[in-house]
Amino acid sequence: MNIINGKEVSKKTREKVALMVKDFVAEKGRIPCLAVILVGEDPASQTYVKNKIIGCEEVGMKSLSYRLPANSTNDEVAKIIKDLASDSTVDGILIQLPLPKGLDERYLLSLIPDSKDVDGFSPNNLGLLAMNNPRTVSCTPYGVMELLASTGVNLSGKNAVVIGRSNTVGKPMAMLLLNANCTVTVCHSKTQNMAEITKQADILVVAIGKPKFVTEDMVKEGAIVIDVGINRVDGKLVGDVDFENVSKKASFITPVPGGVGPMTISMLLYNTLMCAKYED
Ligand code: GUN
């Protein structure tokens, strides 16, 4: 069994992005800029946003940070997004999710132009991914593809099973694996006999948000297992996979923490640079 080191792959990705940013600045005479909007005081979101800002500094990009109270109105948040949308010095706009109750996530996300959609959440960007002509791709599944690439295993023709069907992870993950010529099955909370399906997986990506949901009896010997879950149990972070037992069967497996988590921000930084390039 090999543990996939997300911190290491993430560091390499950031080094590559930093070099590309340097070239961009030299060529265009301006610095790529990401605007991050955080509404409310959710502690996990505050940490993510802080790390996104630090990530920008690390790779030589500018960032703008907007912090609004949890009781902000749709109009107040919309005004900020619209101003950023028309500001030619801003390349990417990110609204940290989840938004507090009362705010209309779909409406507010729709105000981000496709060209500044660093999360790859817009209908057009998701559609382009579905057509295997991607522009920006949702950061977490994109990071999973980098982790899979780091194993050196050829994905073509492999059985890939994704557990989870969210618009932000499960669906784009399935499309990325399909684009990589895998045979893809998506399982979710209503799937029957899930273990029968997951046992066929050469590649198993788990994003269901339930601690230690995947147990060793659900996994094929030699499978690559990617754990997207981040669950807090008794003050500790645990994934969606029972790492201790599943790792005995897997050929490659990601730990939590230190697996998929570190990749998400690296891919966000990459996406921001891509948005800067597309705009020019
Ligand atoms: N909240 C948790 N993950 C993400 C993400 O990838 N993007 C945004 N915008 N919010 C998140």
Side-chain angles (χ1 to χ4, degrees):
M1 179 269 302
N2 299 284
I3 294 181
I4 302 175
N5 187 338
K7 281 190 201 158
E8 212 169 87
V9 181
S10 166
K11 187 165 166 267
K12 282 192 190 140
T13 306
R14 284 186 205 202
E15 284 166 2
K16 269 189 247 165
V17 174
L19 285 177
M20 289 159 74
V21 169
K22 222 171 163 188
D23 287 347
F24 179 90
V25 174
E27 192 186 326
K28 307 285 183 189
R30 69 179 194 89
I31 301 172
C33 175
L34 172 67
V36 181
I37 302 166
L38 172 61
V39 189
E41 279 89 40
D42 178 68
S45 291
Q46 284 177 334
T47 304
Y48 290 137
V49 164
K50 191 180 86 190
N51 289 334
K52 286 169 185 178
I53 305 288
I54 292 171
C56 285
E57 275 171 33
E58 258 179 48
V59 299
M61 293 198 300
K62 268 201 303 201
S63 63
L64 299 170
S65 163
Y66 295 81
R67 284 160 201 261
L68 300 164
N71 62 357
S72 302
T73 63
N74 280 310
D75 284 349
E76 285 164 345
V77 184
K79 163 93 173 67
I80 290 177
I81 301 168
K82 286 177 185 169
D83 286 349
L84 292 168
S86 60
D87 183 340
S88 63
T89 67
V90 171
D91 297 291
I93 304 171
L94 180 141
I95 307 172
Q96 186 64 30
L97 301 178
L99 285 167
K101 281 203 181 80
L103 289 176
D104 185 342
E105 180 180 305
R106 195 171 289 188
Y107 163 65
L108 292 171
L109 287 175
S110 78
L111 299 174
I112 300 176
D114 293 329
S115 60
K116 299 190 182 189
D117 172 31
V118 283
D119 266 321
F121 289 169
S122 79
N124 275 337
N125 283 327
L126 270 171
L128 286 166
L129 175 62
M131 296 166 81
N132 199 7
N133 181 27
R135 203 160 43 186
T136 46
V137 175
S138 183
C139 305
T140 298
Y142 207 7
V144 170
M145 294 309 286
E146 290 291 306
L147 294 177
L148 289 173
S150 79
T151 66
V153 172
N154 180 10
L155 304 183
S156 183
K158 296 282 194 301
N159 276 340
V161 174
V162 179
I163 307 181
R165 56 172 160 178
S166 68
N167 290 332
T168 52
V169 181
K171 282 180 200 163
M173 187 76 252
M175 293 193 281
L176 282 164
L177 290 164
L178 191 56
N179 292 346
N181 297 319
C182 291
T183 303
V184 182
T185 308
V186 180
C187 297
H188 47 78
S189 56
K190 302 286 188 288
T191 298
Q192 296 181 356
N193 301 324
M194 197 187 293
E196 293 308 311
I197 299 166
T198 58
K199 273 193 285 192
Q200 307 292 319
D202 303 306
I203 297 155
L204 181 60
V205 181
V206 192
I208 195 159
K210 293 182 183 165
K212 298 191 183 181
F213 177 82
V214 170
T215 45
E216 67 184 302
D217 54 307
M218 298 171 72
V219 177
K220 175 171 149 179
E221 195 72 44
I224 301 176
V225 179
I226 307 284
D227 188 350
V228 181
I230 303 177
N231 310 287
R232 211 168 276 276
V233 177
D234 301 330
K236 257 185 74 181
L237 288 185
V238 292
D240 291 351
V241 174
D242 176 5
F243 181 87
E244 196 188 334
N245 295 308
V246 172
S247 60
K248 291 174 190 152
K249 269 184 145 177
S251 58
F252 290 90
I253 187 165
T254 57
V256 176
V260 175
M263 289 308 294
T264 299
I265 295 180
S266 298
M267 302 322 291
L268 169 70
L269 301 171
Y270 177 78
N271 279 349
T272 304
L273 177 65
M274 287 302 116
C275 285
K277 286 188 171 214
Y278 297 139
E279 243 168 63
D280 274 50

